[in-house]
Amino acid sequence: MRFARHLGVASAAALTLTALLATPVKAAEPKGIGLELNKVATVNGGCLLTFVASNATGAALAAAGFEFVLFSKDGVVDRMTVFDFGALPEGKTVVRQFQIAGAPCEGFGSILVNGPSGCGAAAAAPLCSAPLTASSRTAVSFGR
């Protein structure tokens, strides 16, 4: 009888342990700023770039600008520019568009995010220190 009771306790402990191990662990939400190149379209002889930006820094950003490097299809730097994404509220996703005049999208092979712009002594700390992820839904490669 005593053996059966211990066996029952051991079985209950094993079932509890199995349930705990089988419980899915929720992945941590990504922290930082996410930029996605969502669409490229040649419009009026220039390239219209559409980005989806998300802010998971833990703080609203009153201003967010990033330096971009646009490369031709053969890997040569075509131009460097800063895109001003404006305010990025915490926990919110926003869409921003930028027009590159006189440069059809077909000429671009990749876009690189050099990083946040204006990260001097008086810059917004959450923008300048936040991890940045870049992704693309287009044929144009987009990274950091």
Side-chain angles (χ1 to χ4, degrees):
M1 180 89 159
R2 184 179 277 163
F3 176 72
R5 188 175 343 145
H6 288 297
L7 184 59
V9 171
S11 295
L15 286 174
T16 302
L17 181 59
T18 302
L20 287 173
L21 293 175
T23 303
V25 176
K26 184 177 179 184
E29 293 293 320
K31 297 293 182 191
I33 297 170
L35 298 178
E36 174 191 88
L37 179 58
N38 186 270
K39 184 177 179 182
V40 294
T42 299
V43 177
N44 297 328
C47 187
L48 181 65
L49 303 171
T50 302
F51 292 92
V52 176
S54 59
N55 174 7
T57 62
L61 301 174
F66 299 93
E67 182 179 64
F68 286 79
V69 182
L70 289 84
F71 293 88
S72 66
K73 287 194 175 198
D74 57 0
V76 176
V77 172
D78 181 271
R79 67 189 75 205
M80 295 176 70
T81 187
V82 172
F83 293 145
D84 181 2
F85 281 74
L88 293 179
E90 161 59 23
K92 186 154 170 48
T93 300
V94 297
V95 176
R96 302 288 190 253
Q97 291 185 314
F98 303 97
Q99 178 78 29
I100 307 293
C105 297
E106 295 78 21
F108 295 124
S110 64
I111 300 174
L112 169 75
V113 183
N114 255 357
S117 68
C119 286
L127 174 65
C128 297
S129 63
L132 177 67
T133 57
S135 61
S136 178
R137 291 185 182 260
T138 73
V140 177
S141 173
F142 180 57
R144 42 168 300 224

